[in-house]
Amino acid sequence: MPYGYGGASPGYVFDCSGFTSWCYAQAGISIPHPSAEQAAMATRCTYEALQAGDLIFWIGTGGASISGNHVAIYVGDGKVIHSNELGVNVAPLKNTWTSCGTIP
């Protein structure tokens, strides 16, 4: 599935927060589309406490706030799933993340 800024439609395009909000919706959980709003509603957690389904946030190079401007879902075993310029993909959790949170 290709990346597209503002995208939130399976079969069309996803951006990072559109993908996470769509995934959560499949589980019956409504979260906002923008990653900054997702970060604001998440209960902070630590790396040691990460569980599958937690959101991971990064600060980008565009001067984003501390809440981050990229978001992924932790899937366990040191991996995340997210939508980036490569499309939707599973990737290793890198040490560049800035915060993580559990959605209540």
Side-chain angles (χ1 to χ4, degrees), residues 11-93:
Y12 182 59
V13 297
F14 280 121
D15 67 5
C16 63
S17 57
F19 176 68
T20 55
S21 63
W22 181 83
C23 288
Y24 270 74
Q26 303 317 293
I29 301 167
S30 178
I31 62 174
H33 185 144
S35 58
E37 290 182 32
Q38 291 177 8
M41 74 178 296
T43 302
R44 298 285 186 232
C45 64
T46 64
Y47 180 79
E48 295 78 27
L50 273 176
Q51 295 183 26
D54 286 345
L55 297 177
I56 303 291
F57 302 94
W58 285 265
I59 290 178
T61 56
S65 70
I66 194 65
S67 64
N69 68 344
H70 184 66
V71 61
I73 300 173
Y74 184 68
V75 295
D77 197 28
K79 295 184 175 139
V80 298
I81 188 166
H82 62 148
S83 180
N84 63 11
E85 66 279 353
L86 301 174
V88 174
N89 62 90
V90 175
L93 174 61

Side-chain angles (χ1 to χ4, degrees), residues 1-14:
M1 170 119 14
Y3 177 86
Y5 182 76
S9 301
Y12 182 59
V13 297
F14 280 121

